[in-house]
Structure formats: structure tokens, C-alpha cells
Amino acid sequence: MLPESIALLWEVREAGTKIAEFIRGLDEESFRRDELRRSAVERQLEIAGEALNNLRRQDPVGAPLSATSTARSRVHAPCCSGVGSGMSAPATSMSRMTLPVF
């Protein structure tokens, strides 16, 4: 894996960590009403998606399409699907990062 790849994965992890901080303690309705937090979460999802796209382009061997596709599907999970399921904390490992889904 290229050093640049590690930096890109770090960006994805940091975006996920920020999202978890932004939504900590919120229920779904509070999140829906809070335009500022929704915008902040959306921006972090964009950052993570851009980093994963760059990773796939810059290091196709170190980050095969299947790995980035799996991570992207987790990062781009719809924020308000599964109503009533509650929030779960994101995994701390970069290789198993999942974002909270309401």
C-alpha cells in the first residue's frame, strides 16, 4: 500500500469520527430538524467519498475496487434509513469503519 493510500484512509476515518461526534446524543427527529448538523454530516460524507475515489484511482492494487466499493457503500449509507433502529457508534478500525445509520 502506498503512503498516499494510508493518508486517504486516514481522511475517511477522520470524517467518520467527526460524523459520530456531530450526531452523538441526537435522536432521528432532532437530527432531521438540525440543518447545521445535517450539513456538517453531509460535508464529511463528501470528504470520505472523495478520499475513497482518489484511493481507487491512485492505488488500484493496494485498494481494489471491491474494497473501496464496500467502504463507499458504508460511508454513503442513507442517513435516515431504518427508522427506529437507533444509532450505533462507528467502528474504530479503519478496515471496518461503519457510520451510524438511523
Coordinates of all heavy atoms in Angstrom, one line a residue:
M1 N 0.8 -1.2 0.0 CA 0.0 0.0 0.0 C 0.9 1.2 0.0 O 1.9 1.3 0.7 CB -0.9 0.0 1.2 CG -1.9 1.2 1.2 SD -3.1 1.0 2.6 CE -4.2 -0.1 1.8
L2 N 0.5 2.2 -0.8 CA 1.3 3.4 -0.9 C 1.1 4.3 0.3 O 0.0 4.3 0.9 CB 0.9 4.2 -2.2 CG 1.1 3.5 -3.5 CD1 0.4 4.3 -4.7 CD2 2.5 3.2 -3.8
P3 N 2.1 5.1 0.6 CA 1.9 6.1 1.8 C 0.7 7.0 1.5 O 0.0 7.4 2.5 CB 3.2 6.9 1.8 CG 4.2 6.0 1.1 CD 3.4 5.2 0.1
E4 N 0.5 7.4 0.3 CA -0.7 8.3 0.0 C -2.0 7.6 0.3 O -3.0 8.2 0.7 CB -0.7 8.7 -1.5 CG 0.5 9.5 -1.9 CD 1.8 8.7 -2.2 OE1 1.7 7.5 -2.4 OE2 2.8 9.3 -2.4
S5 N -2.0 6.3 0.1 CA -3.2 5.5 0.4 C -3.5 5.5 1.9 O -4.7 5.6 2.3 CB -3.0 4.0 0.0 OG -2.8 3.9 -1.4
I6 N -2.5 5.4 2.7 CA -2.7 5.5 4.2 C -3.3 6.8 4.6 O -4.2 6.9 5.4 CB -1.4 5.2 4.9 CG1 -1.0 3.7 4.6 CG2 -1.5 5.4 6.4 CD1 0.4 3.4 5.0
A7 N -2.8 7.9 3.9 CA -3.3 9.2 4.2 C -4.8 9.4 3.8 O -5.6 10.0 4.5 CB -2.5 10.3 3.5
L8 N -5.1 8.8 2.7 CA -6.5 8.8 2.2 C -7.4 8.1 3.2 O -8.5 8.5 3.5 CB -6.6 8.3 0.8 CG -6.0 9.3 -0.3 CD1 -5.9 8.5 -1.6 CD2 -6.8 10.5 -0.4
L9 N -7.0 6.9 3.6 CA -7.8 6.1 4.6 C -7.9 6.9 5.9 O -9.0 6.8 6.5 CB -7.1 4.7 4.8 CG -7.2 3.8 3.6 CD1 -6.4 2.5 3.9 CD2 -8.7 3.4 3.3
W10 N -6.9 7.6 6.3 CA -7.0 8.4 7.5 C -8.0 9.5 7.3 O -8.8 9.7 8.3 CB -5.6 9.0 7.8 CG -5.6 9.8 9.0 CD1 -5.7 11.2 9.2 CD2 -5.5 9.3 10.4 NE1 -5.7 11.5 10.5 CE2 -5.6 10.4 11.3 CE3 -5.4 8.0 10.9 CZ2 -5.5 10.2 12.6 CZ3 -5.3 7.8 12.2 CH2 -5.4 8.9 13.1
E11 N -8.1 10.1 6.1 CA -9.2 11.1 5.9 C -10.6 10.5 6.1 O -11.5 11.1 6.6 CB -9.1 11.7 4.5 CG -7.9 12.6 4.3 CD -7.9 13.2 2.9 OE1 -8.9 13.4 2.3 OE2 -6.8 13.5 2.5
V12 N -10.7 9.3 5.6 CA -12.0 8.6 5.7 C -12.4 8.3 7.1 O -13.5 8.6 7.6 CB -12.1 7.3 4.9 CG1 -13.3 6.5 5.1 CG2 -11.9 7.5 3.4
R13 N -11.4 7.9 7.9 CA -11.6 7.6 9.3 C -11.9 8.9 10.1 O -12.8 8.9 10.9 CB -10.3 6.9 9.9 CG -10.5 6.6 11.3 CD -9.2 5.8 11.8 NE -9.4 5.3 13.2 CZ -9.0 6.0 14.2 NH1 -8.4 7.2 14.1 NH2 -9.2 5.5 15.4
E14 N -11.2 9.9 9.8 CA -11.4 11.2 10.5 C -12.8 11.7 10.1 O -13.5 12.2 11.0 CB -10.4 12.2 10.0 CG -9.0 12.0 10.7 CD -9.1 12.1 12.2 OE1 -9.5 13.2 12.7 OE2 -8.7 11.1 12.8
A15 N -13.3 11.6 8.9 CA -14.6 12.0 8.5 C -15.7 11.2 9.3 O -16.6 11.8 9.9 CB -14.8 11.9 7.0
G16 N -15.5 9.9 9.4 CA -16.4 9.1 10.2 C -16.4 9.5 11.7 O -17.5 9.5 12.3
T17 N -15.2 9.8 12.2 CA -15.1 10.2 13.6 C -15.9 11.5 13.9 O -16.6 11.7 14.8 CB -13.6 10.3 14.0 OG1 -13.0 9.0 13.9 CG2 -13.5 10.8 15.5
K18 N -15.7 12.4 12.9 CA -16.4 13.7 13.1 C -17.9 13.5 13.0 O -18.6 14.2 13.7 CB -15.9 14.7 12.0 CG -14.5 15.2 12.2 CD -14.1 16.1 11.1 CE -12.7 16.6 11.4 NZ -12.2 17.5 10.3
I19 N -18.3 12.7 12.1 CA -19.8 12.4 12.0 C -20.3 11.9 13.3 O -21.4 12.3 13.8 CB -20.1 11.5 10.8 CG1 -19.8 12.2 9.5 CG2 -21.5 11.0 10.8 CD1 -19.9 11.3 8.2
A20 N -19.6 10.9 13.8 CA -20.1 10.3 15.1 C -20.2 11.4 16.2 O -21.1 11.4 17.0 CB -19.1 9.2 15.5
E21 N -19.2 12.3 16.2 CA -19.2 13.4 17.2 C -20.4 14.4 16.9 O -21.1 14.8 17.8 CB -17.9 14.2 17.1 CG -16.7 13.5 17.7 CD -15.4 14.2 17.4 OE1 -15.4 15.4 17.1 OE2 -14.4 13.6 17.5
F22 N -20.7 14.7 15.6 CA -21.7 15.6 15.3 C -23.1 15.1 15.7 O -24.0 15.8 16.0 CB -21.7 15.9 13.8 CG -20.5 16.6 13.2 CD1 -20.3 16.5 11.9 CD2 -19.7 17.3 14.1 CE1 -19.1 17.2 11.4 CE2 -18.5 17.9 13.6 CZ -18.3 17.9 12.2
I23 N -23.3 13.7 15.6 CA -24.6 13.2 15.9 C -24.8 12.6 17.3 O -25.8 12.1 17.6 CB -25.0 12.2 14.8 CG1 -24.1 11.0 14.8 CG2 -25.1 12.8 13.4 CD1 -24.6 9.8 13.9
R24 N -23.7 12.6 18.0 CA -23.7 12.0 19.4 C -24.9 12.6 20.2 O -25.0 13.8 20.3 CB -22.4 12.2 20.1 CG -22.4 11.5 21.5 CD -21.0 11.5 22.1 NE -20.1 10.6 21.4 CZ -19.0 11.1 20.8 NH1 -18.6 12.3 20.9 NH2 -18.2 10.2 20.2
G25 N -25.7 11.7 20.8 CA -26.8 12.2 21.6 C -28.1 12.6 20.9 O -29.0 13.0 21.6
L26 N -28.0 12.6 19.6 CA -29.2 13.1 18.8 C -30.1 11.9 18.5 O -29.6 10.8 18.2 CB -28.8 13.7 17.5 CG -28.1 15.1 17.6 CD1 -27.8 15.5 16.2 CD2 -29.0 16.1 18.3
D27 N -31.4 12.1 18.6 CA -32.3 11.1 18.0 C -32.6 11.5 16.6 O -32.2 12.6 16.1 CB -33.6 10.9 18.8 CG -34.4 12.2 18.9 OD1 -34.2 13.1 18.1 OD2 -35.3 12.3 19.8
E28 N -33.3 10.7 15.9 CA -33.6 10.9 14.4 C -34.3 12.2 14.2 O -33.9 13.0 13.3 CB -34.4 9.8 13.8 CG -34.6 10.0 12.3 CD -35.4 8.9 11.7 OE1 -35.7 7.9 12.4 OE2 -35.8 9.0 10.6
E29 N -35.3 12.5 15.0 CA -36.1 13.7 14.8 C -35.2 15.0 15.0 O -35.3 16.0 14.3 CB -37.3 13.7 15.7 CG -38.2 14.9 15.4 CD -38.8 15.0 14.0 OE1 -39.0 13.9 13.4 OE2 -38.9 16.1 13.5
S30 N -34.4 15.0 16.1 CA -33.5 16.1 16.4 C -32.5 16.3 15.2 O -32.2 17.4 14.8 CB -32.7 15.8 17.6 OG -33.6 15.8 18.7
F31 N -32.0 15.2 14.7 CA -31.1 15.3 13.6 C -31.8 15.9 12.3 O -31.2 16.8 11.7 CB -30.5 13.9 13.2 CG -29.6 14.0 12.0 CD1 -28.3 14.4 12.2 CD2 -30.0 13.5 10.8 CE1 -27.4 14.5 11.1 CE2 -29.1 13.6 9.7 CZ -27.8 14.0 9.9
R32 N -33.0 15.5 12.1 CA -33.7 16.0 10.9 C -34.0 17.5 11.0 O -34.0 18.2 10.0 CB -35.0 15.3 10.7 CG -34.9 13.9 10.2 CD -36.3 13.2 10.1 NE -36.2 11.8 9.8 CZ -36.5 11.3 8.6 NH1 -36.9 12.1 7.7 NH2 -36.4 10.0 8.4
R33 N -34.2 18.0 12.2 CA -34.5 19.4 12.4 C -33.3 20.3 12.4 O -33.4 21.5 12.3 CB -35.3 19.6 13.7 CG -36.7 19.1 13.7 CD -37.5 19.6 14.9 NE -36.7 19.3 16.2 CZ -37.0 18.4 17.0 NH1 -38.0 17.6 16.8 NH2 -36.3 18.2 18.1
D34 N -32.1 19.7 12.7 CA -30.9 20.5 12.8 C -30.2 20.6 11.5 O -29.3 19.8 11.1 CB -30.0 19.8 13.9 CG -28.9 20.7 14.3 OD1 -28.4 21.5 13.5 OD2 -28.4 20.5 15.4
E35 N -30.5 21.6 10.8 CA -29.9 21.8 9.4 C -28.4 22.0 9.5 O -27.7 21.5 8.6 CB -30.5 23.0 8.7 CG -30.1 23.2 7.3 CD -30.9 24.3 6.6 OE1 -31.9 24.8 7.1 OE2 -30.4 24.7 5.5
L36 N -27.9 22.6 10.5 CA -26.4 22.8 10.6 C -25.7 21.5 10.7 O -24.7 21.2 10.0 CB -26.1 23.7 11.8 CG -24.6 24.1 12.0 CD1 -24.1 24.9 10.8 CD2 -24.5 24.9 13.3
R37 N -26.2 20.6 11.6 CA -25.6 19.3 11.8 C -25.7 18.4 10.5 O -24.8 17.7 10.1 CB -26.1 18.6 13.0 CG -25.6 19.2 14.3 CD -26.1 18.3 15.4 NE -25.9 19.1 16.7 CZ -25.5 18.6 17.8 NH1 -25.2 17.3 17.9 NH2 -25.5 19.3 18.9
R38 N -26.9 18.5 9.9 CA -27.1 17.7 8.7 C -26.1 18.1 7.6 O -25.5 17.3 6.9 CB -28.5 17.9 8.2 CG -29.6 17.1 8.9 CD -30.9 17.0 8.2 NE -31.2 18.0 7.3 CZ -32.0 19.0 7.5 NH1 -32.6 19.2 8.6 NH2 -32.2 19.9 6.5
S39 N -25.9 19.4 7.5 CA -24.9 20.0 6.5 C -23.5 19.5 6.9 O -22.7 19.2 6.0 CB -25.0 21.5 6.5 OG -26.2 21.9 6.0
A40 N -23.2 19.5 8.1 CA -21.8 19.1 8.6 C -21.6 17.6 8.3 O -20.6 17.2 7.8 CB -21.7 19.4 10.0
V41 N -22.6 16.8 8.5 CA -22.5 15.4 8.3 C -22.4 15.1 6.7 O -21.6 14.4 6.3 CB -23.8 14.6 8.8 CG1 -23.8 13.2 8.3 CG2 -23.7 14.6 10.4
E42 N -23.2 15.9 6.0 CA -23.1 15.7 4.5 C -21.8 16.1 4.0 O -21.2 15.4 3.1 CB -24.2 16.6 3.9 CG -24.2 16.5 2.4 CD -25.3 17.4 1.8 OE1 -26.4 17.4 2.3 OE2 -25.0 18.1 0.8
R43 N -21.2 17.1 4.5 CA -19.8 17.5 4.1 C -18.8 16.4 4.4 O -17.9 16.1 3.6 CB -19.4 18.8 4.7 CG -18.0 19.3 4.3 CD -18.0 19.5 2.8 NE -16.6 19.8 2.4 CZ -15.9 19.3 1.4 NH1 -16.5 18.4 0.6 NH2 -14.7 19.6 1.2
Q44 N -18.9 15.8 5.6 CA -17.9 14.8 5.9 C -18.1 13.6 5.1 O -17.2 12.9 4.7 CB -18.1 14.4 7.4 CG -17.6 15.6 8.3 CD -16.2 16.1 8.0 OE1 -15.3 15.3 7.9 NE2 -16.1 17.4 7.9
L45 N -19.4 13.3 4.7 CA -19.6 12.2 3.7 C -19.0 12.5 2.4 O -18.4 11.6 1.7 CB -21.1 11.9 3.6 CG -21.8 11.3 4.8 CD1 -23.3 11.3 4.6 CD2 -21.3 9.9 5.1
E46 N -19.1 13.7 2.0 CA -18.4 14.1 0.7 C -16.9 13.9 0.8 O -16.3 13.4 -0.2 CB -18.7 15.6 0.4 CG -20.2 15.8 0.0 CD -20.5 17.3 -0.1 OE1 -19.7 18.1 0.2 OE2 -21.6 17.6 -0.5
I47 N -16.3 14.3 1.9 CA -14.9 14.2 2.1 C -14.5 12.7 2.0 O -13.5 12.4 1.4 CB -14.4 14.9 3.4 CG1 -14.5 16.4 3.3 CG2 -13.0 14.4 3.8 CD1 -14.4 17.1 4.6
A48 N -15.2 11.9 2.7 CA -14.9 10.5 2.7 C -15.0 9.9 1.3 O -14.2 9.1 0.9 CB -15.8 9.7 3.7
G49 N -16.1 10.3 0.6 CA -16.3 9.8 -0.8 C -15.2 10.2 -1.7 O -14.7 9.4 -2.5
E50 N -14.8 11.4 -1.6 CA -13.7 11.9 -2.4 C -12.4 11.2 -2.1 O -11.6 10.8 -3.0 CB -13.5 13.4 -2.2 CG -14.6 14.3 -2.8 CD -14.5 15.8 -2.3 OE1 -13.4 16.1 -1.8 OE2 -15.5 16.5 -2.5
A51 N -12.1 11.0 -0.9 CA -10.9 10.2 -0.5 C -10.9 8.8 -1.0 O -9.9 8.3 -1.5 CB -10.7 10.2 1.0
L52 N -12.1 8.1 -1.0 CA -12.2 6.8 -1.5 C -12.0 6.8 -3.0 O -11.4 5.8 -3.6 CB -13.5 6.2 -1.0 CG -13.6 5.8 0.4 CD1 -15.0 5.4 0.8 CD2 -12.6 4.7 0.8
N53 N -12.6 7.7 -3.7 CA -12.4 7.8 -5.1 C -10.9 8.0 -5.5 O -10.4 7.4 -6.4 CB -13.2 9.0 -5.7 CG -14.7 8.6 -5.9 OD1 -15.0 7.4 -6.2 ND2 -15.6 9.5 -5.9
N54 N -10.3 8.9 -4.8 CA -8.8 9.1 -5.0 C -8.0 7.9 -4.7 O -7.1 7.6 -5.4 CB -8.3 10.3 -4.2 CG -8.9 11.6 -4.7 OD1 -9.2 11.8 -5.8 ND2 -9.0 12.6 -3.8
L55 N -8.4 7.2 -3.7 CA -7.7 5.9 -3.3 C -7.8 4.9 -4.4 O -6.8 4.3 -4.8 CB -8.3 5.4 -2.0 CG -7.7 4.0 -1.5 CD1 -6.2 4.2 -1.2 CD2 -8.5 3.6 -0.3
R56 N -9.0 4.8 -5.0 CA -9.2 3.8 -6.0 C -8.4 4.2 -7.3 O -7.8 3.3 -8.0 CB -10.7 3.7 -6.4 CG -11.0 2.6 -7.4 CD -12.4 2.4 -7.6 NE -13.1 3.7 -7.8 CZ -14.4 3.9 -7.8 NH1 -15.2 2.8 -7.5 NH2 -14.9 5.0 -8.0
R57 N -8.3 5.5 -7.6 CA -7.5 5.9 -8.7 C -6.0 5.8 -8.5 O -5.3 5.5 -9.4 CB -7.9 7.4 -9.1 CG -9.2 7.5 -9.9 CD -9.3 8.9 -10.4 NE -9.4 9.9 -9.4 CZ -10.5 10.3 -8.9 NH1 -11.7 9.9 -9.3 NH2 -10.6 11.2 -7.9
Q58 N -5.5 6.2 -7.3 CA -4.1 6.3 -7.1 C -3.4 5.0 -6.7 O -2.3 4.8 -7.0 CB -3.8 7.3 -5.9 CG -4.1 8.7 -6.3 CD -3.9 9.7 -5.1 OE1 -3.4 9.3 -4.1 NE2 -4.4 10.9 -5.2
D59 N -4.2 4.1 -6.2 CA -3.6 2.8 -5.7 C -4.6 1.7 -6.0 O -5.1 1.0 -5.0 CB -3.3 2.9 -4.2 CG -2.5 1.8 -3.7 OD1 -2.0 0.9 -4.5 OD2 -2.2 1.8 -2.4
P60 N -4.8 1.4 -7.2 CA -5.8 0.3 -7.6 C -5.3 -1.1 -7.1 O -6.1 -1.9 -6.8 CB -5.9 0.3 -9.1 CG -4.7 1.1 -9.5 CD -4.2 2.0 -8.4
V61 N -4.0 -1.3 -6.9 CA -3.5 -2.6 -6.4 C -3.7 -2.7 -4.9 O -4.2 -3.7 -4.4 CB -2.0 -2.8 -6.8 CG1 -1.5 -4.0 -6.1 CG2 -1.9 -2.8 -8.3
G62 N -3.4 -1.6 -4.2 CA -3.5 -1.6 -2.7 C -4.9 -1.4 -2.2 O -5.3 -1.8 -1.1
A63 N -5.8 -0.9 -3.1 CA -7.2 -0.7 -2.7 C -8.0 -1.2 -3.9 O -8.5 -0.4 -4.7 CB -7.4 0.8 -2.5
P64 N -8.2 -2.5 -4.0 CA -9.0 -3.0 -5.1 C -10.4 -2.4 -5.1 O -10.9 -2.0 -4.1 CB -9.0 -4.5 -4.9 CG -8.6 -4.7 -3.5 CD -7.8 -3.5 -3.1
L65 N -11.0 -2.4 -6.2 CA -12.4 -1.9 -6.4 C -13.4 -2.5 -5.4 O -14.2 -1.7 -4.8 CB -12.9 -2.2 -7.8 CG -14.3 -1.6 -8.2 CD1 -14.3 -0.1 -8.0 CD2 -14.6 -2.0 -9.6
S66 N -13.3 -3.7 -5.1 CA -14.2 -4.3 -4.2 C -14.1 -3.7 -2.8 O -15.1 -3.5 -2.1 CB -14.1 -5.8 -4.1 OG -12.8 -6.2 -3.7
A67 N -12.9 -3.4 -2.4 CA -12.7 -2.9 -1.0 C -13.2 -1.5 -0.9 O -13.9 -1.1 0.0 CB -11.2 -2.9 -0.7
T68 N -12.9 -0.6 -2.0 CA -13.4 0.7 -1.9 C -14.9 0.8 -2.1 O -15.6 1.6 -1.5 CB -12.7 1.6 -2.9 OG1 -12.9 1.1 -4.2 CG2 -11.3 1.8 -2.6
S69 N -15.5 -0.1 -2.9 CA -16.9 -0.2 -3.1 C -17.6 -0.5 -1.8 O -18.6 0.1 -1.4 CB -17.3 -1.2 -4.2 OG -16.8 -0.8 -5.4
T70 N -17.1 -1.5 -1.0 CA -17.7 -1.8 0.3 C -17.6 -0.7 1.2 O -18.6 -0.3 1.9 CB -16.9 -3.0 0.9 OG1 -17.0 -4.1 -0.1 CG2 -17.5 -3.4 2.2
A71 N -16.4 0.0 1.3 CA -16.3 1.1 2.2 C -17.2 2.3 1.8 O -17.9 2.9 2.6 CB -14.9 1.6 2.2
R72 N -17.3 2.5 0.5 CA -18.2 3.6 0.0 C -19.7 3.3 0.3 O -20.4 4.2 0.7 CB -18.0 3.8 -1.5 CG -16.8 4.5 -1.9 CD -16.6 4.6 -3.4 NE -17.8 5.2 -4.0 CZ -18.0 6.5 -4.2 NH1 -17.2 7.4 -3.7 NH2 -19.1 6.9 -4.8
S73 N -20.1 2.0 0.2 CA -21.5 1.7 0.5 C -21.8 2.0 2.0 O -22.9 2.4 2.3 CB -21.8 0.3 0.1 OG -21.1 -0.6 0.9
R74 N -20.8 1.8 2.8 CA -21.0 2.1 4.2 C -21.0 3.6 4.5 O -21.8 4.1 5.3 CB -19.9 1.4 5.1 CG -20.0 -0.1 5.1 CD -19.0 -0.7 5.9 NE -19.1 -2.2 5.9 CZ -18.1 -3.0 6.2 NH1 -17.0 -2.6 6.5 NH2 -18.4 -4.3 6.1
V75 N -20.1 4.3 3.9 CA -20.0 5.7 4.1 C -21.2 6.4 3.5 O -21.7 7.4 4.1 CB -18.7 6.3 3.5 CG1 -18.7 7.8 3.4 CG2 -17.5 5.8 4.2
H76 N -21.7 6.0 2.4 CA -22.8 6.6 1.7 C -24.1 6.1 2.1 O -25.1 6.3 1.5 CB -22.6 6.6 0.2 CG -21.5 7.5 -0.2 ND1 -20.4 7.1 -0.8 CD2 -21.4 8.9 -0.1 CE1 -19.6 8.1 -1.1 NE2 -20.2 9.2 -0.7
A77 N -24.2 5.3 3.2 CA -25.4 4.7 3.7 C -26.4 5.9 3.9 O -26.0 6.9 4.5 CB -25.2 3.9 5.0
P78 N -27.7 5.7 3.5 CA -28.6 6.8 3.8 C -28.7 7.1 5.2 O -28.9 6.2 6.0 CB -29.9 6.3 3.2 CG -29.7 4.9 2.8 CD -28.2 4.6 2.9
C79 N -28.7 8.3 5.6 CA -28.6 8.8 7.0 C -29.8 8.5 7.7 O -29.8 8.4 8.9 CB -28.2 10.2 6.9 SG -28.5 11.1 8.3
C80 N -30.9 8.4 7.1 CA -32.2 8.3 7.9 C -32.9 7.0 7.4 O -34.2 7.0 7.4 CB -33.0 9.5 7.7 SG -32.2 11.0 8.4
S81 N -32.3 6.0 7.0 CA -33.0 4.7 6.7 C -33.1 3.9 7.9 O -32.4 4.1 8.9 CB -32.2 4.0 5.6 OG -31.0 3.5 6.2
G82 N -34.0 3.0 7.9 CA -34.2 2.1 9.0 C -34.7 2.8 10.2 O -34.2 2.7 11.3
V83 N -35.7 3.7 10.0 CA -36.3 4.5 11.1 C -36.6 3.6 12.3 O -37.1 2.5 12.2 CB -37.6 5.2 10.6 CG1 -38.2 5.9 11.7 CG2 -37.3 6.1 9.5
G84 N -36.2 4.1 13.5 CA -36.5 3.4 14.7 C -35.4 2.4 15.1 O -35.5 1.8 16.1
S85 N -34.4 2.3 14.3 CA -33.3 1.3 14.6 C -32.3 1.8 15.6 O -31.5 1.1 16.1 CB -32.6 0.8 13.3 OG -32.0 1.9 12.7
G86 N -32.3 3.1 15.9 CA -31.4 3.7 16.8 C -30.0 3.9 16.2 O -29.8 3.6 15.0
M87 N -29.1 4.5 16.9 CA -27.8 4.8 16.3 C -26.8 3.9 17.0 O -26.9 3.5 18.1 CB -27.4 6.3 16.7 CG -28.2 7.3 15.9 SD -27.5 8.9 16.2 CE -28.0 9.2 17.9
S88 N -25.8 3.5 16.2 CA -24.7 2.7 16.7 C -23.4 3.5 16.5 O -23.3 4.3 15.5 CB -24.6 1.4 16.0 OG -24.5 1.6 14.6
A89 N -22.5 3.3 17.3 CA -21.2 4.0 17.2 C -20.4 3.4 16.1 O -20.5 2.2 15.8 CB -20.4 3.9 18.5
P90 N -19.6 4.3 15.4 CA -18.8 3.7 14.3 C -17.7 2.9 14.8 O -17.2 3.0 15.9 CB -18.3 5.0 13.6 CG -18.3 6.0 14.7 CD -19.5 5.7 15.6
A91 N -17.3 1.9 14.0 CA -16.2 1.1 14.4 C -14.9 1.9 14.4 O -14.8 2.9 13.7 CB -16.0 -0.1 13.4
T92 N -14.0 1.6 15.2 CA -12.8 2.4 15.3 C -11.7 1.9 14.4 O -10.8 2.7 14.1 CB -12.2 2.4 16.7 OG1 -12.0 1.0 17.1 CG2 -13.2 3.1 17.7
S93 N -11.8 0.8 13.8 CA -10.8 0.3 12.9 C -11.0 0.8 11.5 O -12.1 0.8 11.0 CB -10.8 -1.3 12.9 OG -10.1 -1.7 11.8
M94 N -10.0 1.3 10.9 CA -10.1 1.8 9.5 C -10.6 0.7 8.6 O -11.4 1.0 7.7 CB -8.8 2.3 9.0 CG -8.5 3.7 9.4 SD -7.1 4.4 8.5 CE -5.7 3.7 9.4
S95 N -10.2 -0.5 8.8 CA -10.7 -1.6 7.9 C -12.1 -2.0 8.1 O -12.7 -2.6 7.2 CB -9.8 -2.8 8.0 OG -9.9 -3.3 9.3
R96 N -12.7 -1.6 9.2 CA -14.1 -2.0 9.4 C -15.0 -0.8 9.8 O -15.9 -0.9 10.5 CB -14.2 -3.0 10.6 CG -13.5 -4.3 10.3 CD -13.7 -5.2 11.5 NE -14.5 -4.8 12.6 CZ -15.7 -5.3 12.9 NH1 -16.3 -6.2 12.1 NH2 -16.4 -4.9 13.9
M97 N -14.6 0.4 9.2 CA -15.4 1.6 9.5 C -16.8 1.5 9.0 O -17.0 1.3 7.8 CB -14.7 2.8 8.9 CG -15.3 4.1 9.3 SD -14.4 5.4 8.7 CE -15.8 6.4 8.1
T98 N -17.8 1.7 9.9 CA -19.1 1.9 9.5 C -19.7 3.1 10.2 O -19.3 3.4 11.3 CB -20.0 0.6 9.9 OG1 -19.9 0.5 11.3 CG2 -19.6 -0.6 9.2
L99 N -20.5 3.8 9.5 CA -21.1 5.0 10.0 C -22.5 4.7 10.6 O -23.2 3.8 10.2 CB -21.2 6.1 8.9 CG -19.8 6.5 8.4 CD1 -20.0 7.5 7.3 CD2 -19.0 7.1 9.5
P100 N -22.9 5.5 11.6 CA -24.2 5.3 12.2 C -25.3 5.5 11.2 O -25.2 6.4 10.3 CB -24.3 6.4 13.3 CG -22.9 7.1 13.3 CD -22.1 6.6 12.1
V101 N -26.3 4.7 11.3 CA -27.5 4.8 10.4 C -28.7 4.8 11.3 O -28.8 4.0 12.2 CB -27.5 3.6 9.4 CG1 -28.8 3.7 8.6 CG2 -26.3 3.5 8.6
F102 N -29.5 5.8 11.1 CA -30.7 5.9 12.0 C -31.7 4.8 11.6 O -31.9 4.4 10.5 CB -31.4 7.2 11.8 CG -30.5 8.4 12.3 CD1 -29.8 9.1 11.5 CD2 -30.5 8.7 13.7 CE1 -29.0 10.1 12.0 CE2 -29.8 9.7 14.2 CZ -29.0 10.4 13.3

